[in-house]
Amino acid sequence: MRVDKFLNTTNIVKRRSIAQDMCDSGVVAVNGKPVKSSKEVKKGDIITLTYLEYTKIYEVLEIPTTKNVPKNQSALYVKAVDQ
């Protein structure tokens, strides 16, 4: 699954277009490397979002098979990692 679609499907960002803009701006990194929005993510990858004042790190637990995941089920697919 594409990284922009994954971020949107797992409710990390509200819209896929926002995720695409974040990738284009160099905010999103997978396994420590800045990526384009078309980068494929897989189970076990570490996604880092670098904002102006803080950084969020997520670990991919599973790849969703549906288009949308309810917010209460997001923890099945992604886990926030403590810095």
Side-chain angles (χ1 to χ4, degrees), residues 16-33:
R16 184 172 172 188
S17 60
I18 293 172
Q20 288 173 327
D21 288 343
M22 290 172 71
C23 290
D24 293 341
S25 300
V27 174
V28 181
V30 175
N31 297 327
K33 296 179 183 174

Side-chain angles (χ1 to χ4, degrees), residues 17-80:
S17 60
I18 293 172
Q20 288 173 327
D21 288 343
M22 290 172 71
C23 290
D24 293 341
S25 300
V27 174
V28 181
V30 175
N31 297 327
K33 296 179 183 174
V35 296
K36 294 183 179 180
S37 57
S38 61
K39 168 75 173 156
E40 292 288 321
V41 293
K42 56 189 178 300
K43 186 176 173 181
D45 281 348
I46 302 295
I47 299 174
T48 307
L49 303 178
T50 307
Y51 296 103
L52 293 175
E53 298 178 4
Y54 59 94
T55 300
K56 290 279 196 173
I57 301 172
Y58 299 96
E59 180 181 355
V60 178
L61 301 176
E62 290 291 331
I63 302 297
T65 56
T66 59
K67 186 176 180 182
N68 292 321
V69 173
K71 281 190 178 187
N72 61 359
Q73 293 183 359
S74 291
L76 299 173
Y77 300 100
V78 67
K79 176 177 80 169

